[in-house]
Amino acid sequence: ITCPTWLVYGATSWASNPAEDGRIEPFHNASVSVISDAGHWLHHDQFDDFMGQREVFLGSLRSRTYSSKDAQVRIQDERTGSISDDRWN
């Protein structure tokens, strides 16, 4: 899997760190985050922290350049609601 991927887990979840347990292996462009004081439903347990880290990850995508002839991204600007279809180059 070559697309940018955000792997996130809760510090008190039964699921472990994907970088340490091998689940990150199929991902060639992944980042891993841990949410403190969160279990498996980390988006529920620590909503604000989850959303903040999500925004950091999504923001990092806007500054990257991708190379794939067939990859296409559909971006919706959360502030304006406008949608753009761009080919990744």
Side-chain angles (χ1 to χ4, degrees):
I1 301 168
T2 59
C3 65
T5 306
W6 180 44
L7 303 174
V8 58
Y9 68 101
T12 61
S13 174
W14 54 265
S16 57
N17 181 337
E20 294 174 357
D21 66 19
R23 287 180 292 138
I24 198 171
E25 293 303 319
F27 302 96
H28 299 282
N29 190 8
S31 60
V32 177
S33 298
V34 61
I35 305 288
S36 300
D37 300 319
H40 191 64
W41 283 26
L42 49 103
H43 58 287
H44 178 271
D45 298 342
Q46 295 294 331
F47 181 78
D48 291 336
D49 192 6
F50 174 83
M51 294 301 287
Q53 290 194 37
R54 180 194 75 125
E55 286 304 310
V56 169
F57 173 73
L58 293 176
S60 74
L61 300 180
R62 293 182 184 104
S63 63
R64 294 183 187 180
T65 302
Y66 301 97
S67 59
S68 176
K69 293 179 193 173
D70 300 319
Q72 191 168 0
V73 62
R74 184 174 172 92
I75 300 171
Q76 182 169 10
D77 189 315
E78 293 179 6
R79 292 166 291 158
T80 65
S82 64
I83 296 175
S84 64
D85 290 313
D86 295 312
R87 189 163 289 282
W88 292 354
N89 330 356

